Amino acid sequence: MSGELIKLKIKAYSDERFSEEISEGEFKSLLNPDKYTFNYKIEQNNNQASGTSSSAVRFNKIPPENLDLEFVFDRTGVVVDYGSPSTDADDKVYKDEGNGIIDDIEKFKRVVFDYNGDNHRPNYLVISWGTLLFKGTLTEMNITYKLFKSDGLPLRASVRAKFKGFVEDNLRVARENNSSPDLTHLRMVKEGDNLPLMTYRIY
């Protein structure tokens, strides 16, 4: 172990295969989060046939996972970015350079939030830190400004961001490795069978 402090990193891409990096599309967190939250969900189909009194809950789909993160931006001068022990880099103190945290926030927004005019959508993102490796897009962001200079410029803020997971089509197929019922179910028709009954048994 080198003892180097690894920062959470976000890289922006223009394509869904994550092969085309956005110019200046990288953000490193000032302070690493003290937690991150994954949200998983299973959607069920509760549709009930006409004329029935109840219906069994049936699996519908598993949506992509969601990731919740909180970032802290601080230019009060109390936060220090310690240089890597393997280099002679001096420790960097994050202090106000005239614009408070405005430039930091704008850089963050350019990476995760801004509209990509070439592709007519926000960027695809890869978030990495330690064992965390997440591919997705931003769905929601809230910025809370907490500390200000005498002229009103903010010196500290927290950003809560929500990201929706994304898996490329070829990787999704490899992960799921499932077979479509439409292709793999072969049934012999017997006396008394009808199409609604057969589809009910399969699905």
Side-chain angles (χ1 to χ4, degrees):
M1 296 286 291
S2 65
E4 180 181 357
L5 178 63
I6 304 299
K7 297 294 188 70
L8 182 144
K9 181 170 64 176
I10 302 177
K11 294 194 70 172
Y13 295 82
S14 62
D15 66 312
E16 61 186 21
R17 295 187 180 276
F18 298 91
S19 60
E20 300 292 333
E21 296 185 19
I22 299 292
S23 176
E24 298 184 3
E26 181 174 304
F27 169 82
K28 288 187 178 181
S29 63
L30 172 61
L31 294 172
N32 282 329
D34 58 6
K35 67 176 181 179
Y36 53 83
T37 304
F38 278 108
N39 298 295
Y40 300 92
K41 183 179 180 182
I42 294 177
E43 291 188 2
Q44 308 286 357
N45 188 346
N46 296 311
N47 291 343
Q48 184 172 334
S50 177
T52 61
S53 59
S54 62
S55 63
V57 176
R58 298 188 180 278
F59 170 77
N60 183 12
K61 61 182 178 180
I62 300 178
E65 69 268 25
N66 294 324
L67 173 65
D68 293 354
L69 275 171
E70 184 169 347
F71 302 89
V72 175
F73 295 83
D74 190 296
R75 285 283 177 177
T76 61
V78 300
V79 177
V80 179
D81 181 14
Y82 295 101
S84 169
S86 61
T87 69
D88 295 327
D90 293 331
D91 297 342
K92 176 182 177 182
V93 177
Y94 288 95
K95 58 184 178 181
D96 176 35
E97 297 178 353
N99 287 324
I101 57 169
I102 296 300
D103 293 341
D104 300 323
I105 294 286
E106 288 304 312
K107 180 178 181 180
F108 176 75
K109 288 173 62 179
R110 280 197 301 271
V111 173
V112 306
F113 180 76
D114 280 3
Y115 183 79
N116 188 319
D118 294 335
N119 297 289
H120 311 292
R121 57 161 298 129
N123 297 323
Y124 296 94
L125 306 171
V126 174
I127 304 172
S128 59
W129 180 48
T131 59
L132 171 64
L133 180 61
F134 181 88
K135 292 183 176 182
T137 55
L138 179 75
T139 59
E140 185 178 338
M141 180 172 65
N142 298 291
I143 305 175
T144 303
Y145 297 97
K146 298 181 176 182
L147 190 63
F148 304 86
K149 295 170 61 176
S150 59
D151 59 1
L153 275 174
L155 290 174
R156 182 181 296 160
S158 63
V159 177
R160 297 190 64 183
K162 296 184 178 182
F163 304 88
K164 180 176 287 295
F166 178 87
V167 180
E168 308 96 311
D169 286 338
N170 57 349
L171 182 56
R172 181 184 298 110
V173 171
R175 281 185 178 179
E176 294 179 354
N177 192 27
N178 59 1
S179 300
S180 169
D182 303 320
L183 301 177
T184 59
H185 284 291
L186 178 64
R187 292 290 183 270
M188 296 295 295
V189 180
K190 298 178 294 186
E191 184 178 356
D193 282 347
N194 55 55
L195 187 58
L197 179 60
M198 295 173 66
T199 55
Y200 176 82
R201 289 171 177 167
I202 293 173
Y203 292 101

